[in-house]
Amino acid sequence: MSFTLKSIELKNIKTHEYLLFEPALEGITAISGENGSGKSTIVDSLAWCLYGTRPSGVKNKNFIKEKVDPKKKPVSVKTVLFVGGIEYIIEKKIITPAGTTECNVWGKRPESEVLSHVAGPAVSHVEKFIRSELGMNEKGFLTSVLIQQKQVDQIVSASPRERGIVIEELTGIASITQAIMKTNDNVRALEKAASIFTIGNIEEAKEKVKKQKSVCKNIDKKEKAAIKMFNEMKVINKETKDDLDIQQTKVNQRIKLNQEVDKLKGQIDFLKKQADDDINYILNFKKKYGTTIYIDVADIKKKVESKRKESYSINNVVNNIN
């Protein structure tokens, strides 16, 4: 889709602290000036703003005007285009000294005065939107819209044949020319191959084709057998995996039960030790004070019964686990 450039506004880009370039909407606009005055920067900034194109491999941070901190002063290129009757404002900013960028696009229809945000701030989002709206990618833009200075010099100084190659590259038809040349080469090769055939070797060629059919049939048969074997192996592999999962579950359960057994054994050992300590205490008490002490028989029976029930419970758990 064709478009019309309304303006390019530069802020702290390369040699320009501020520049507003407004070409004529009709006819031709020429940019003149001394070498190094920043003429190319205007053109390069347009390509960079729309497609992220950096001429001669220049990094984003090299677009920043010398001694300018993007965190303190704006570093941006704002392009205004008319595409299909819609006015688009594309503003690309460098927001860190390292060259980190963001880009936003606003659009306004002729019957409206309201700007709507249509893309951004992600640069990739904006570039995808621009490719869609302009109907061309970066290569198409550089060959059909933006002809750089060195390419113009090539056209002027080249021979007629070389000039034709350059123009084909600029207009994007070089690939078509290459395809035509390749087709011609293929035609010549086929003509050469056809010239070596004679009536006497047609039967021989038929026999070779017949053998090749047999070979292909055999390969097809082996392929089907391999597919069948592969499917069978998939079933076996699934069954093996299911069995492995079951066995793993059993192992995990066994580990858990062993841990519970160890825990119960510890409790039993603790109770045994406690009982031994109680017996030793009673014996020592009896030896020291005799048997003339008051004993609450009911309370003793109650405690013994409690210990007996606890012991039975633990034994039942251990037996179930075993």
Side-chain angles (χ1 to χ4, degrees), residues 3-5 7-10 45-52 76-83 86-93 102-107 115-120 122-123 125-127 129-131 133-134:
F3 67 89
T4 302
L5 176 63
S7 66
I8 302 175
E9 183 181 31
L10 310 182
S45 296
L46 173 62
W48 178 73
C49 182
L50 297 182
Y51 290 97
S76 64
V77 176
K78 182 188 290 185
T79 304
V80 182
L81 303 175
F82 290 106
V83 184
I86 300 176
E87 181 179 351
Y88 286 113
I89 299 175
I90 304 138
E91 185 174 23
K92 191 167 192 177
K93 296 179 180 180
E102 68 175 24
C103 193
N104 288 282
V105 181
W106 294 269
L115 285 171
S116 300
H117 188 264
V118 294
V123 175
H125 182 214
V126 170
E127 291 177 0
F129 175 80
I130 290 173
R131 286 195 296 271
E133 288 300 297
L134 297 186

Side-chain angles (χ1 to χ4, degrees), residues 179-190:
I180 293 172
M181 293 174 63
K182 188 173 182 180
T183 302
N184 290 336
D185 291 340
N186 290 338
V187 170
R188 284 192 290 270
L190 289 172

Side-chain angles (χ1 to χ4, degrees), residues 7-267:
S7 66
I8 302 175
E9 183 181 31
L10 310 182
K11 293 181 181 179
N12 294 308
I13 297 292
K14 289 191 174 181
T15 58
H16 300 290
E17 181 176 359
Y18 178 83
L19 173 70
L20 177 61
F21 173 66
E22 295 178 312
L25 297 181
E26 295 181 0
I28 297 174
T29 300
I31 305 174
S32 62
E34 298 179 357
N35 290 338
S37 60
K39 301 185 299 297
S40 298
T41 299
I42 300 173
V43 180
D44 293 342
S45 296
L46 173 62
W48 178 73
C49 182
L50 297 182
Y51 290 97
T53 305
R54 298 185 293 272
S56 304
V58 173
K59 296 180 179 179
N60 286 338
K61 65 180 182 180
N62 297 126
F63 275 89
I64 304 171
K65 181 176 172 59
E66 188 177 355
K67 296 181 180 180
V68 170
D69 185 352
K71 292 184 177 181
K72 297 179 180 179
K73 292 185 178 181
V75 180
S76 64
V77 176
K78 182 188 290 185
T79 304
V80 182
L81 303 175
F82 290 106
V83 184
I86 300 176
E87 181 179 351
Y88 286 113
I89 299 175
I90 304 138
E91 185 174 23
K92 191 167 192 177
K93 296 179 180 180
I94 299 177
I95 56 178
T96 67
T100 305
T101 60
E102 68 175 24
C103 193
N104 288 282
V105 181
W106 294 269
K108 183 177 70 173
R109 294 187 176 277
E111 66 275 7
S112 174
E113 294 298 324
V114 179
L115 285 171
S116 300
H117 188 264
V118 294
V123 175
S124 58
H125 182 214
V126 170
E127 291 177 0
K128 182 179 179 181
F129 175 80
I130 290 173
R131 286 195 296 271
S132 174
E133 288 300 297
L134 297 186
M136 67 181 78
N137 57 18
E138 176 188 358
K139 186 175 181 181
F141 177 78
L142 292 177
T143 55
S144 62
V145 176
L146 181 65
I147 302 177
Q148 296 173 328
Q149 183 177 348
K150 291 182 180 179
Q151 291 174 315
V152 176
D153 294 341
Q154 258 187 302
I155 296 174
V156 173
S157 61
S159 65
R161 183 176 179 279
E162 292 172 339
R163 190 179 299 118
I165 294 173
V166 173
I167 292 173
E168 285 178 358
E169 290 179 351
L170 292 176
T171 55
I173 64 172
S175 58
I176 299 175
T177 303
Q178 292 173 1
I180 293 172
M181 293 174 63
K182 188 173 182 180
T183 302
N184 290 336
D185 291 340
N186 290 338
V187 170
R188 284 192 290 270
L190 289 172
E191 290 174 346
K192 184 177 180 181
S195 66
I196 66 174
F197 280 99
T198 62
I199 297 175
N201 61 12
I202 290 179
E203 293 300 325
E204 182 181 346
K206 287 182 177 179
E207 186 63 27
K208 288 182 179 180
V209 171
K210 185 177 179 181
K211 288 182 179 179
Q212 288 299 320
K213 285 183 177 179
S214 176
V215 171
C216 291
K217 187 176 180 180
N218 190 31
I219 292 174
D220 183 61
K221 184 178 179 181
K222 289 181 179 180
E223 181 185 8
K224 290 179 179 178
I227 292 173
K228 181 180 179 182
M229 184 179 295
F230 175 75
N231 291 331
E232 290 174 353
M233 292 302 297
K234 282 175 66 177
V235 173
I236 294 172
N237 180 64
K238 185 179 183 307
E239 292 174 350
T240 304
K241 185 178 181 303
D242 292 342
D243 184 60
L244 177 64
D245 292 339
I246 293 171
Q247 296 300 326
Q248 185 63 48
T249 301
K250 290 181 179 180
V251 169
N252 293 338
Q253 290 176 344
R254 185 175 183 84
I255 291 172
K256 186 176 180 181
L257 289 173
N258 286 336
Q259 291 173 346
E260 292 181 1
V261 168
D262 292 339
K263 182 178 179 181
L264 289 172
K265 284 181 178 179
Q267 292 177 352

